[in-house]
């Protein structure tokens, strides 16, 4: 009888620890993948998405991880993006860029990326006299260069 109670307690403790571990994984995934993970959870709260999370990647890094690694690199475009968006996290930038790259038309992607880049800066009209501000043309140039760099990641995940 005493042994049954201990076994029952151990089973409940194991179940509790599994639940805590699953909750920590959900929290980590939301921190790592942003609101995409939260939306998956809300859309499929009773499904098995948590157990199958990341299985389709076959050990490959996610698009957001690849873009984050690129943004951390010494590539000139990455350095310019970091300088432009110095107040934003690299992972947050990568998530926003992923959304832009999902747009179907190239023009929409370019302007979406430009808007991401302009997010923390007041865009001025052709005011090349100030070095701290980007004008529209510079933002469009940077957006196009960034899209060109990221195109190799896009082909991996389409």
């Amino acid at each position: 009888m005493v042994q049954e109670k201990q076994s029952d307690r151990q089973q409940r403790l194991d179940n509790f620890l599994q639940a805590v571990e699953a909750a920590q994984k959900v929290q980590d995934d939301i921190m790592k993948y942003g609101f995409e993970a939260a939306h998956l959870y809300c859309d499929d709260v009773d499904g098995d998405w948590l157990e199958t999370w990341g299985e389709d990647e076959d050990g490959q890094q996610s698009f957001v991880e690849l873009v984050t690694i690129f943004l951390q690199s010494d590539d000139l475009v990455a350095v310019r993006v970091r300088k432009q968006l110095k107040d934003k996290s690299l992972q947050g930038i990568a998530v926003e860029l992923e959304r832009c790259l999902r747009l179907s038309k190239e023009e929409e992607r370019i302007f979406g990326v430009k808007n991401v880049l302009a997010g923390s800066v007041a865009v001025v009209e052709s005011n090349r006299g100030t070095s701290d501000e980007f004008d529209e043309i510079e933002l469009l140039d940077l957006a196009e260069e960034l899209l060109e760099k990221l195109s190799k990641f896009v082909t991996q995940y389409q």
Side-chain angles (χ1 to χ4, degrees), residues 28-157:
D28 290 344
D29 287 341
I30 290 172
M31 295 298 290
K32 185 175 183 180
Y33 298 105
F35 289 114
E36 289 291 320
H39 290 295
L40 281 173
Y41 177 75
C42 291
D43 291 343
D44 192 17
V45 73
D46 294 323
D48 67 343
W49 69 270
L50 181 62
E51 291 83 18
T52 60
W53 183 268
E55 283 183 4
D56 59 337
E57 294 176 5
D58 296 327
Q60 293 181 351
Q61 293 174 309
S62 73
F63 180 82
V64 171
E65 289 171 329
L66 290 172
V67 173
T68 302
I69 291 168
F70 167 74
L71 292 173
Q72 294 169 342
S73 74
D74 292 333
D75 185 277
L76 293 177
V77 173
V79 170
R80 289 173 58 201
V81 170
R82 286 196 311 266
K83 183 179 178 186
Q84 178 71 22
L85 298 172
K86 59 186 173 221
D87 296 333
K88 292 189 176 185
S89 75
L90 295 182
Q91 195 158 12
I93 296 167
V95 168
E96 289 181 39
L97 290 173
E98 180 185 28
R99 287 188 193 123
C100 294
L101 293 172
R102 289 183 183 176
L103 298 171
S104 60
K105 295 181 180 177
E106 183 177 353
E107 184 177 302
E108 291 175 351
R109 288 191 297 270
I110 291 171
F111 284 103
V113 171
K114 182 194 95 57
N115 289 336
V116 169
L117 294 171
S120 66
V121 175
V123 178
V124 296
E125 288 184 30
S126 193
N127 187 2
R128 295 187 185 268
T130 59
S131 61
D132 291 342
E133 296 177 333
F134 272 80
D135 66 22
E136 290 274 344
I137 295 170
E138 290 170 335
L139 281 175
L140 280 172
D141 288 345
L142 180 56
E144 288 174 351
E145 291 175 37
L146 181 57
L147 279 172
E148 186 177 315
K149 295 283 183 174
L150 298 179
S151 66
K152 63 183 176 186
F153 302 134
V154 172
T155 57
Q156 293 178 18
Y157 290 95

